Amino acid sequence: MLSCEYFYRYFAAKGVDFFAGVPDSLLQDFCAYLQDNVGTNTHIVASNEGAAVALACGHYLASSRPGLVYMQNSGEGNAMNPLVSLADPEVYNIPLILVIGWRGEPKKHDEPQHAKQGKITLGFLDLLDIPYRILPDQELAAEKCLDWLFKTLKGRKAPVALVVRKDTFIAYKTQIKARLESGLTREKAIELFARELKSRDVVVSTTGKASRELYQIRQRLGQGHDQDFLTVGSMGHSSQIALGVALAQPSKQVFCLDGDGAIIMHMGSLAIIGSQKARNFKHIILNNGAHESVGGLATAGFSVSFKDIARACGYLFCLEAGNEAQFRRQLKILRDVRGPALLEIRLSCGSRADLGRPKEKPAENKAKFMEFLADQGPETYAGPGSILRLKDILKNISSQRILLVIGEGSYKKSGAEKKLSRLLKNYSVFVFSDFEKNPRIEDLLRGTRAARKFKYDSVIAVGGGSVIDMAKMINFFAQNRFDPAEYIKNGSGVDGKAKPLIAVPTTNGSGSEATHFSVLYSGKKKFSVSHECIRPDYAVLDPLLTLSLPGKVAAASGMDALSQAIESYWSVNSNQRSKDYARRAIELARDNLIPAVKRPALGPRSAMLEAAHLAGRAINITKTSACHALSYPLTAYFNIPHGHAVALTLPAVLEYNYKVSSRDILDKRGAGYVRKTMKEIFEMLGARSLEGARDRIKYLMAEIGLQSRLSQVGVSSIKDIDKLVDQGVDQSRAKNNPRSFTAQTLKMILRSIY
């Protein structure tokens, strides 16, 4: 291996006295030596690689001596413009020395973001017609290589390159101690930030250790990684990625976790952010004054005021913090102010020696992140007493006139009336509760007329699934001049709008607070009203409001949640995100449904409320399938509570789907995939076989007092079954099932549970 001192002294002996570049992990020992032994006017850590090339060109113009420019091969792209349009022999013919770290060298293990760059590194130099050699790691061979370099440089008077492999240099530790700007480390700051995040927040984190630390903190806190885009490469571009997301998704808060070196690399991005005025864009600069992930060379981060620069570029709010207490306070302010807004925190340099890396591949991170962005769920407030957060929500949306949609009985019994009468006393409130338990089109028309007359600016729905469904539909049709009957028939794909809607469920089953569809009846026929604008903007999950829920209602609504989760998991529309929601919902319902019904206490009721919400998030992606398709006529014709009606067919449909074949498969992933999925459901239910899973569902129903046969709930004859199938089954839901149905197979399923 080569001594850094030897390498430097060779260049010094040849008259090279100017060094500029962007640090690289393969060159960090040489860079550290330069930091210790070369003056700050003749060694410049540049903003980016192109700037380093330009600096070396300026030095040559003034001194006639070539400069040395160091970089990681990922910086070749930044350097290309001045290399071909400034230093090239066909332009100004300026000699300089390129020292390039070869990350991602073919056939050597490296991180995925370096693979493509490693393959094209040498070809890039060939394309630019820049002569190069791979630097040997032994002095004798290295000296011959360096002699070639200077001979070529003298004859060519244009750029010449050395490509440096991993472990070429002997380790060198800088003698300059890192500047301690505060007692707060980057990892601690990211943890404080992560604890403040909400369920709908988006995070784009910069390349280097910040993304690695965010990943491990998420794991430690049990938060998951779907909300985070980890920018493993593309240094300096995280803020523009985040801005692109913020502009496309204005309803979500988008946070960019940036570094001082990354900001400096492409500081012009601040002007673009300021000019776009994205109110949901929040920029956090983790400033430790160093390129820490590639050796720790100092940046200009402590020499500039990012706050003042951002303000001059058009950011509306610019904050700074110098210690943990200040950072905690400013984080809360950052969330509440209108963007674009910036918070700079000055940090101590340093990180854990055992810091790991993400286990998922970048493509997997991208897929989960895109699924998260596509899943436009409500901003969620959960936990005992969370109903009091309504005050903050109403302030945030600047509401004054509230349409309050309630179920009269549940509104009083749940305790919501007592809490909201005080909370809403300074608002103008119109209460609507004039609708049936299974909402009808006549109820909707009545509510829509009243809502338009009141001229509300927000909606609060407090109650079970029917109440929230009604509020969603009134809000949609009051703000859009669609005729409900016509919309149901022809409304898909139309534009729409709605006022902010806050859903406060008092049952633990429907998950309506998380979905973009509602159920409506016309006569005995059920219709689904669906539109992105229908979905609530906020969900308040306060388990205290469910404690008064009667056991019978808790049983039916709990089985609804379990059924939704299972149907979503096996749906032809399922993806990894929907499955994650569904899996957690199934496990929560499995462990908490019986105690939630038999011994209503805060723990199990809270768990079931979460299960229902997660099941709602799951079916918002996939929709329900066969069990729900069969349940609607059971409810319409025999008044069986919806959740009970769904649960009745669940064991039989579970068996039917498990026996799928290539002849009747609807899921494009194949019959083998569906059978594997069904086995996963068996395991989630705590069973090892189809029979065990089927019996487990029947056991749950028996324990919570729900009958499991149609003849026990008012279906008096086989003729009733034929009538149900012929007149009332929702075929749109049946199409989401992994196995196809015919009228005959539907009748067979219902007869098997008669």
Side-chain angles (χ1 to χ4, degrees), residues 104-381:
E105 182 183 350
K107 298 182 180 180
K108 289 193 177 182
H109 175 73
D110 209 330
E111 298 305 311
Q113 67 268 25
H114 297 293
K116 173 65 74 172
Q117 190 69 52
K119 291 176 184 176
I120 66 172
T121 292
L122 303 183
F124 178 89
L125 295 171
D126 286 331
L127 182 65
L128 270 58
D129 196 27
I130 296 176
Y132 65 87
R133 289 287 189 272
I134 297 171
L135 181 65
D137 60 1
Q138 299 298 323
E139 282 193 15
L140 185 60
E143 188 162 339
K144 291 181 180 179
C145 179
L146 293 171
D147 289 343
W148 165 87
L149 181 142
F150 277 95
K151 181 179 180 181
T152 305
L153 193 68
K154 183 177 180 180
R156 174 178 166 82
K157 294 193 180 300
V160 181
L162 293 174
V163 178
V164 180
R165 288 181 162 132
K166 185 179 180 181
D167 297 328
T168 294
F169 292 108
I170 296 170
Y172 177 89
K173 188 173 182 179
T174 181
Q175 305 303 304
I176 300 174
K177 292 185 178 180
R179 177 177 169 182
L180 297 177
E181 190 64 19
S182 75
L184 187 62
T185 64
R186 182 186 51 244
E187 184 168 6
K188 179 61 177 177
I190 294 174
E191 181 176 344
L192 294 172
F193 163 74
R195 290 183 182 276
E196 290 291 324
L197 290 170
K198 304 282 176 57
S199 61
R200 282 166 53 92
D201 291 341
V202 179
V203 181
V204 178
S205 58
T206 189
T207 188
K209 292 185 178 179
S211 283
R212 292 163 62 186
E213 287 169 342
L214 175 62
Y215 181 88
Q216 293 211 327
I217 287 164
R218 290 289 209 184
Q219 283 194 310
R220 192 161 66 239
L221 298 179
Q223 292 180 336
H225 309 289
D226 297 4
Q227 295 169 248
D228 308 333
F229 185 81
L230 308 177
T231 314
V232 294
S234 303
M235 184 173 173
H237 294 297
S238 293
S239 67
Q240 296 303 283
I241 297 170
L243 177 62
V245 173
L247 293 172
Q249 301 239 349
S251 66
K252 285 185 168 74
Q253 291 249 35
V254 179
F255 292 88
C256 177
L257 278 183
D258 225 335
D260 50 300
I263 280 286
I264 291 168
M265 180 168 279
H266 294 292
M267 200 177 286
S269 296
L270 297 180
I272 303 304
I273 294 166
S275 70
Q276 289 299 311
K277 304 298 182 189
R279 63 186 303 163
N280 58 327
F281 182 91
K282 307 298 172 67
H283 204 165
I284 297 176
I285 300 180
L286 304 164
N287 183 3
N288 63 5
H291 285 287
E292 189 189 341
S293 62
V294 286
L297 259 67
T299 69
F302 290 160
S303 303
V304 298
S305 172
F306 291 115
K307 183 180 76 169
D308 291 343
I309 295 169
R311 183 180 289 114
C313 287
Y315 280 62
L316 297 184
F317 290 91
C318 299
L319 310 165
E320 61 184 0
N323 56 50
E324 181 174 334
Q326 290 175 359
F327 187 58
R328 287 178 183 270
R329 288 195 300 270
Q330 302 290 45
L331 272 177
K332 295 182 185 298
I333 295 172
L334 184 71
R335 169 172 289 283
D336 293 336
V337 299
R338 180 174 178 173
L342 178 139
L343 169 57
E344 177 192 354
I345 172 68
R346 294 202 169 194
L347 302 165
S348 297
C349 201
S351 60
R352 290 187 289 115
D354 62 346
L355 182 62
R357 297 181 183 273
K359 295 179 181 177
E360 294 82 7
K361 295 178 180 178
E364 294 171 323
N365 172 230
K366 182 201 77 170
K368 286 192 173 185
F369 183 71
M370 291 182 70
E371 286 176 10
F372 169 75
L373 293 178
D375 175 24
Q376 296 277 356
E379 185 168 329
T380 304
Y381 299 83

Side-chain angles (χ1 to χ4, degrees), residues 554-746:
S557 61
M559 284 304 299
D560 188 19
L562 177 61
S563 299
Q564 285 180 343
I566 291 174
E567 289 179 75
S568 176
Y569 200 88
W570 72 40
S571 171
V572 298
N573 304 313
S574 67
N575 59 28
Q576 190 56 53
R577 186 162 183 79
S578 69
K579 283 190 165 187
D580 289 344
Y581 286 142
R583 177 184 292 276
R584 181 61 179 151
I586 292 168
E587 292 169 347
L588 283 168
R590 176 197 68 198
D591 296 338
N592 292 280
L593 179 54
I594 293 174
V597 173
K598 288 187 170 182
R599 300 182 300 279
L602 188 60
R605 286 287 170 100
S606 179
M608 287 307 301
L609 187 61
E610 182 184 356
H613 181 71
L614 291 171
R617 298 290 289 263
I619 64 168
N620 187 61
I621 298 170
T622 64
K623 297 187 174 62
T624 51
S625 61
C627 299
H628 273 71
L630 291 166
S631 75
Y632 296 120
L634 289 172
T635 296
Y637 287 94
F638 298 98
N639 292 316
I640 303 170
H642 170 68
H644 189 181
V646 173
L648 281 165
T649 63
L650 185 58
V653 176
L654 186 81
E655 179 175 0
Y656 179 80
N657 285 341
Y658 182 63
K659 294 179 179 179
V660 67
S661 71
S662 58
R663 295 186 304 276
D664 51 21
I665 183 71
L666 287 180
D667 196 314
K668 294 179 180 179
R669 291 166 289 195
Y673 170 84
V674 171
R675 284 191 290 272
K676 177 177 177 291
T677 296
M678 302 308 294
K679 289 178 181 178
E680 290 170 357
I681 293 172
F682 302 164
E683 292 174 4
M684 286 178 235
L685 290 169
R688 296 182 178 180
S689 64
L690 168 63
E691 293 74 19
R694 198 176 51 200
D695 291 345
R696 176 65 177 164
I697 295 169
K698 291 179 180 178
Y699 168 77
L700 280 174
M701 292 178 69
E703 284 293 302
I704 59 178
L706 296 181
Q707 299 91 341
S708 57
R709 305 205 71 81
L710 294 177
S711 58
Q712 298 171 320
V713 291
V715 181
S716 58
S717 69
I718 295 296
K719 290 182 179 179
D720 287 336
I721 290 175
D722 294 341
K723 180 181 177 182
L724 286 173
V725 173
D726 294 337
Q727 297 183 18
V729 173
D730 183 353
Q731 292 297 331
S732 66
R733 289 289 183 261
K735 290 177 182 177
N736 301 324
N737 201 67
R739 186 181 178 189
S740 64
F741 288 102
T742 64
Q744 199 59 36
T745 54
L746 289 173

